[in-house]
Amino acid sequence: MNLKCFGSILILLILCFSSTLLSKEDNRHYILKNANLVKIDKIENDTITTLKGDVYLIYNDIEFFADNAQIFQKDRKVKLFGNVRSIDDTLEAGAQKATYFHKNAILKLEKDAYFIENSSDTLLKKVTADFIEYQKDNKKVHALNNIIATDFIEGVVCTCGKFRYDMETDYGLARENPVLTFQRDNELKIYSKQMELFAKDKKLTATYDVKVETQDTYATSNFLIYFNDQEKAVMLGNPQFKSSLSTATAEEFQVFFKDEKIHELLMVKNAVIHFKEEESIGKENYLYAEKVLMKINNDKLTYLHAQDVSRSFFEQRNGEDILINKLATLQLQVFFDEGEKIKTIIAEDDIKGTYTFSSSAQILEK
């Protein structure tokens, strides 16, 4: 037998002996599958096992892989260093540094930390952060700093400073400047102070200083609930809508999205809209109504339908001709051209108002 062959057999025997010994000493809480070097140090009140090179270890039914590791027998914990990866059934986590505490069944991950849930029942979810704590028994995950959480709602990315996730209820809580980005054909973002993600119900809520932002429009409120299947959001608490040519307020907004842009905006109770022509300095046109539906295409207002209009003012310009409408009516429709200029106004039922034509100086009253 040559020296090289003998050396390989000797290393294999040492690994097998060490694995068996360590398992017996710690009531089979861990099994050593592989390491290039095994070193056992007995110090005061403890035994420390140092593993170096291609470490593969099973500890409390979790598979661990790392460049290096240390097992502390008394404290029943494992420290792992360099390209750490752990697998627990359908869960995977990793970092450059990790510590697993057997007593509390807690895994702490630091530096380039990530956590993946790849269950057949739900979407693959992933969290990256500076620090992640995985609680094995409680099925909870806590993350801190520079967090990116993906697909807790399909196609939605959440960034924040603090994130908690409960795997049993599929519930996520994001704090510290959370931002939701809908990564599809067009970018839609939601900002707030706090967000809750209900993965099973495919919905989310945003609370305090809420802002929904598209390329050329945005809406704000104190509270928002979003239903992913319906692509619909309900906004409460002083909701406001703003674009380059219009602003709107009401007690409740129902926002409908299409291709991650606001497609329809339904304003319920005490709706107020101000809008202007592009060449105007201020928003001269206004509308006060009980309920208003606005239709928007490519962030441009195309149609407006109002119910129970208490007062309104519309100024239409066509060259030197100016048409001014002051209306109160039960039903009002306004059609806009591609430049958001008023094209047609239709009033129905119980109409009261003044129509002024500057070119003919003709005034009609009803």
Side-chain angles (χ1 to χ4, degrees):
M1 181 183 296
N2 60 40
L3 184 62
K4 184 176 180 180
C5 182
F6 176 76
S8 299
I9 294 172
L10 181 60
I11 290 172
L12 181 61
L13 288 173
I14 291 171
L15 283 175
C16 291
F17 173 74
S18 299
S19 175
T20 304
L21 177 63
L22 295 173
S23 299
K24 287 181 179 179
E25 286 181 351
D26 204 19
N27 297 322
R28 302 198 61 84
H29 287 136
Y30 63 88
I31 299 172
L32 177 61
K33 289 289 189 179
N34 188 75
N36 294 339
L37 175 66
V38 178
K39 181 172 178 275
I40 301 174
D41 294 307
K42 287 189 175 289
I43 61 173
E44 186 177 355
N45 298 322
D46 204 355
T47 299
I48 301 174
T49 302
T50 300
L51 310 172
K52 291 187 177 182
D54 295 326
V55 176
Y56 176 18
L57 176 72
I58 299 177
Y59 196 97
N60 197 23
D61 296 326
I62 301 176
E63 294 182 88
F64 289 101
F65 303 84
D67 293 341
N68 304 296
Q70 284 186 310
I71 303 170
F72 297 81
Q73 182 175 314
K74 180 183 177 182
D75 293 336
R76 290 194 175 183
K77 69 180 181 181
V78 180
K79 289 185 176 181
L80 304 109
F81 310 92
N83 301 307
V84 181
R85 186 165 65 98
S86 62
I87 298 174
D88 184 13
D89 195 18
T90 60
L91 308 176
E92 180 181 334
Q96 291 304 311
K97 179 182 177 181
T99 305
Y100 182 76
F101 301 87
H102 183 276
K103 181 179 179 180
N104 299 319
I106 290 176
L107 173 64
K108 294 185 177 182
L109 305 145
E110 301 177 55
K111 194 177 179 181
D112 300 328
Y114 72 87
F115 181 88
I116 296 172
E117 182 185 21
N118 190 14
S119 170
S120 59
D121 299 331
T122 62
L123 292 169
L124 186 148
K125 303 178 183 69
K126 183 176 182 180
V127 179
T128 62
D130 291 345
F131 173 85
I132 294 176
E133 178 180 288
Y134 163 53
Q135 300 174 4
K136 177 179 170 66
D137 292 342
N138 295 332
K139 294 294 182 182
K140 289 181 172 61
V141 174
H142 293 183
L144 292 173
N145 302 329
N146 297 312
I147 297 161
I148 302 175
T150 57
D151 277 341
F152 287 79
I153 303 294
E154 186 176 4
V156 177
V157 176
C158 177
T159 60
C160 59
K162 288 184 178 180
F163 187 77
R164 291 190 302 167
Y165 175 56
D166 187 330
M167 281 172 276
E168 291 186 346
T169 59
D170 251 3
Y171 169 80
L173 175 64
R175 289 178 174 170
E176 291 193 2
N177 303 314
V179 179
L180 288 181
T181 303
F182 292 70
Q183 291 189 327
R184 296 163 193 167
D185 294 336
N186 298 292
E187 191 172 272
L188 168 71
K189 289 190 174 183
I190 300 177
Y191 304 81
S192 73
K193 295 292 185 183
Q194 176 179 291
M195 295 183 182
E196 296 177 284
L197 310 177
F198 302 87
K200 281 184 180 178
D201 298 326
K202 300 179 182 179
K203 69 179 183 181
L204 62 90
T205 64
T207 312
Y208 309 117
D209 297 337
V210 179
K211 182 178 181 181
V212 179
E213 184 180 78
T214 65
Q215 183 175 349
D216 296 313
T217 68
Y218 70 89
T220 60
S221 68
N222 289 325
F223 176 79
L224 172 146
I225 181 168
Y226 177 82
F227 304 91
N228 196 51
D229 285 346
Q230 302 175 46
E231 293 189 88
K232 172 188 175 181
V234 176
M235 304 181 72
L236 301 168
N238 191 31
Q240 299 183 38
F241 169 85
K242 289 188 179 182
S243 71
S244 59
L245 298 178
S246 62
T247 62
T249 63
E251 293 190 18
E252 177 185 328
F253 280 0
Q254 295 181 22
V255 189
F256 299 87
F257 300 92
K258 184 178 181 181
D259 300 326
E260 288 64 65
K261 290 190 175 184
I262 296 176
H263 176 58
E264 291 185 358
L265 174 60
L266 178 63
M267 293 166 281
V268 181
K269 200 169 184 181
N270 298 324
V272 179
I273 304 172
H274 291 270
F275 48 93
K276 66 176 181 179
E277 304 283 347
E278 285 189 354
E279 61 271 17
S280 300
I281 297 175
K283 294 179 172 62
E284 291 88 353
N285 300 315
Y286 59 79
L287 171 69
Y288 291 74
E290 189 64 18
K291 184 183 291 186
V292 177
L293 174 65
M294 295 171 58
K295 292 191 176 182
I296 301 164
N297 185 29
N298 291 323
D299 293 330
K300 301 292 184 182
L301 181 60
T302 61
Y303 173 76
L304 182 152
H305 179 255
Q307 298 178 28
D308 295 329
V309 178
S310 58
R311 58 192 174 106
S312 65
F313 178 93
F314 298 98
E315 180 182 276
Q316 293 173 267
R317 295 175 179 267
N318 185 10
E320 295 182 357
D321 295 334
I322 300 176
L323 170 62
I324 296 176
N325 296 309
K326 295 181 179 180
L327 294 172
T329 180
L330 293 180
Q331 302 286 338
L332 181 69
Q333 296 183 78
V334 184
F335 297 84
F336 299 84
D337 64 17
E338 293 181 356
E340 290 190 285
K341 292 183 179 180
I342 297 172
K343 186 167 59 176
T344 306
I345 298 174
I346 301 174
E348 299 179 68
D349 301 328
D350 196 18
I351 304 168
K352 297 176 183 178
T354 301
Y355 311 87
T356 303
F357 302 89
S358 64
S359 60
S360 60
Q362 181 182 9
I363 298 177
L364 300 177
E365 295 187 358
K366 294 184 70 174

